[in-house]
Amino acid sequence: MKKYLFKIGIVFLILFPLILLGTFYDYEITYKLSEIYYDGHKYIYTPQAWIVPVELISSTPTMILLAVCSNLTYIYIKKCLESNQKLKYCGWFMITFSALTIFRLCYTLTTEFTKNYELSLIWLVGIGIISIFLFLLLCYFLNKIKTDILKSIIDLVIITLCVGFVIFGVMAVIKFTWGRPRLRNLIDEGNMQGYLPWYKPMFFSGYASFPSGHATKAGYVFILSIWFRDNEKAKKIFNAIAWIFVTIACGARLMQAEHYLTDVVFGTFITYAIIQFFIYLYYSKWMEKCIKLVKKFFDVKEKELEPSRRD
């Protein structure tokens, strides 16, 4: 626990100056970076060309990771625990979730790229056909993974999924409860006086600026560091790349006038804190007790659910 608190404390101290800066200058920072100007009748802004691709890339790894891990969970249950009826239901849920996640990814990429958020039926059918093709392709390649390899990584797959469900559940509750309007909302409504600092929530207003969902999606890649459990050097390199990736993604959201500095900082910090907490649990004795409870609930007597993690 001390190591976990130390990591979180260090990251908070690094991010605290940004929180402080955003508390006083959130509006000015996003306004300046997004290059908004007033033409005498309305506010206008034109995002730079590189921003849209960065936004697409920032959310793509998360969706792919969730789709792959849920699919692997289904394959593991099918190959190793097929006789367990309760786990069969769980497997069907996982494979359905994988398919829906791929559809969601294709839908998001389409709407973000075209900037058309009210797609026609023809568009939806086309996205559905592409999603089915990608889903079947994913199933084909993942089914080729050998059973012994699957058994060796299933604990990593499950912890990755659990982290994703918790993070996006927590963020969704905060976002739609807090109700902070985006600068983009103010531009569309022609009322720049509607800005509110992060510490003044408009509960259940329908707005969803705080915290940043894209920062959360980008920050979700931090969980992949646990996959380098046998290689500390590779883990450090990956963490450095992950922080660069998250920083660029957050910068793009500011320049898009979709978020404020405190939105992306809090989104990143909350995501990082949750991930580090799960990593702490992953290596704790509590995890062994949790596995026993899961095995008891699903009547699993095999040893496949035994953790393969290393201290």
Side-chain angles (χ1 to χ4, degrees):
M1 178 59 76
K2 290 182 179 180
K3 187 176 180 180
Y4 162 72
L5 294 176
F6 177 77
K7 280 187 177 180
I8 299 303
I10 291 296
V11 172
F12 180 78
L13 289 176
I14 294 173
L15 296 179
F16 182 73
L18 296 178
I19 295 175
L20 198 61
L21 180 65
T23 300
F24 293 101
Y25 299 104
D26 252 352
Y27 178 86
E28 291 80 1
I29 292 171
T30 301
Y31 190 96
K32 184 68 176 178
L33 290 176
S34 54
E35 299 181 352
I36 299 171
Y37 65 92
Y38 188 68
D39 69 348
H41 301 282
K42 61 180 180 179
Y43 289 94
I44 299 174
Y45 82 108
T46 305
Q48 297 183 23
W50 65 271
I51 294 178
V52 173
V54 169
E55 287 193 313
L56 296 178
I57 293 172
S58 66
S59 58
T60 299
T62 291
M63 307 300 284
I64 294 176
L65 185 58
L66 289 173
V68 169
C69 286
S70 54
N71 204 313
L72 285 174
T73 303
Y74 166 76
I75 295 171
Y76 172 77
I77 292 173
K78 182 180 178 181
K79 288 185 177 181
C80 305
L81 302 167
E82 188 176 7
S83 61
N84 192 296
Q85 191 63 37
K86 290 182 180 178
L87 283 172
K88 276 187 179 180
Y89 297 141
C90 180
W92 294 340
F93 170 79
M94 287 291 101
I95 198 66
T96 302
F97 179 78
S98 179
L100 292 177
T101 302
I102 292 176
F103 176 81
R104 176 63 180 176
L105 173 61
C106 293
Y107 178 86
T108 301
L109 291 176
T110 302
T111 54
E112 290 290 342
F113 185 77
T114 62
K115 293 302 177 184
N116 178 14
Y117 298 100
E118 296 181 359
L119 298 178
S120 64
L121 181 60
I122 295 177
W123 272 101
L124 293 176
V125 172
I127 293 173
I129 293 173
I130 295 174
S131 300
I132 292 173
F133 172 75
L134 293 176
F135 171 70
L136 294 176
L137 198 63
L138 181 66
C139 292
Y140 173 76
F141 284 107
L142 292 182
N143 269 291
K144 288 183 173 293
I145 297 177
K146 295 181 179 178
T147 303
D148 57 339
I149 296 177
L150 188 59
K151 289 180 179 180
S152 69
I153 64 171
I154 189 60
D155 56 326
L156 298 175
V157 170
I158 292 175
I159 197 72
T160 301
L161 276 177
C162 290
V163 168
F165 291 149
V166 171
I167 286 177
F168 296 112
V170 169
M171 287 300 182
V173 170
I174 297 176
K175 281 174 71 70
F176 296 106
T177 300
W178 210 263
R180 187 186 192 188
R182 308 171 188 267
L183 182 58
R184 182 74 173 81
N185 297 137
L186 305 184
I187 296 170
D188 293 339
E189 296 169 3
N191 179 23
M192 303 300 277
Q193 304 302 316
Y195 165 77
L196 287 174
W198 68 271
Y199 53 84
K200 291 184 178 180
M202 291 176 59
F203 294 111
F204 304 104
S205 64
Y207 297 117
S209 182
F210 180 88
S212 169
H214 273 71
T216 301
K217 291 177 182 177
Y220 180 57
V221 300
F222 287 131
I223 189 59
L224 288 176
S225 65
I226 202 173
W227 288 72
F228 297 92
R229 57 190 175 187
D230 297 326
N231 193 328
E232 284 297 323
K233 184 178 180 180
K235 184 187 294 186
K236 290 179 181 179
I237 294 174
F238 171 80
N239 282 331
I241 295 174
W243 275 108
I244 294 172
F245 174 73
V246 172
T247 301
I248 294 174
C250 290
R253 294 305 283 171
L254 298 181
M255 299 182 73
Q256 185 77 341
E258 292 287 354
H259 284 292
Y260 304 103
L261 182 59
T262 50
D263 293 339
V264 297
V265 172
F266 273 104
T268 301
F269 177 73
I270 295 172
T271 301
Y272 183 81
I274 293 175
I275 288 174
Q276 290 302 319
F277 179 70
F278 269 86
I279 292 176
Y280 159 74
L281 291 180
Y282 178 75
Y283 290 109
S284 68
K285 292 182 178 179
W286 180 88
M287 181 59 71
E288 296 178 2
K289 296 179 181 178
C290 182
I291 291 173
K292 290 180 180 179
L293 290 175
V294 171
K295 290 172 66 176
K296 184 178 180 181
F297 176 79
F298 287 110
D299 298 322
V300 177
K301 297 180 181 180
E302 295 87 343
K303 294 183 178 180
E304 283 84 353
L305 287 181
E306 289 295 339
S308 60
R309 64 194 187 283
R310 300 178 184 175
D311 294 327

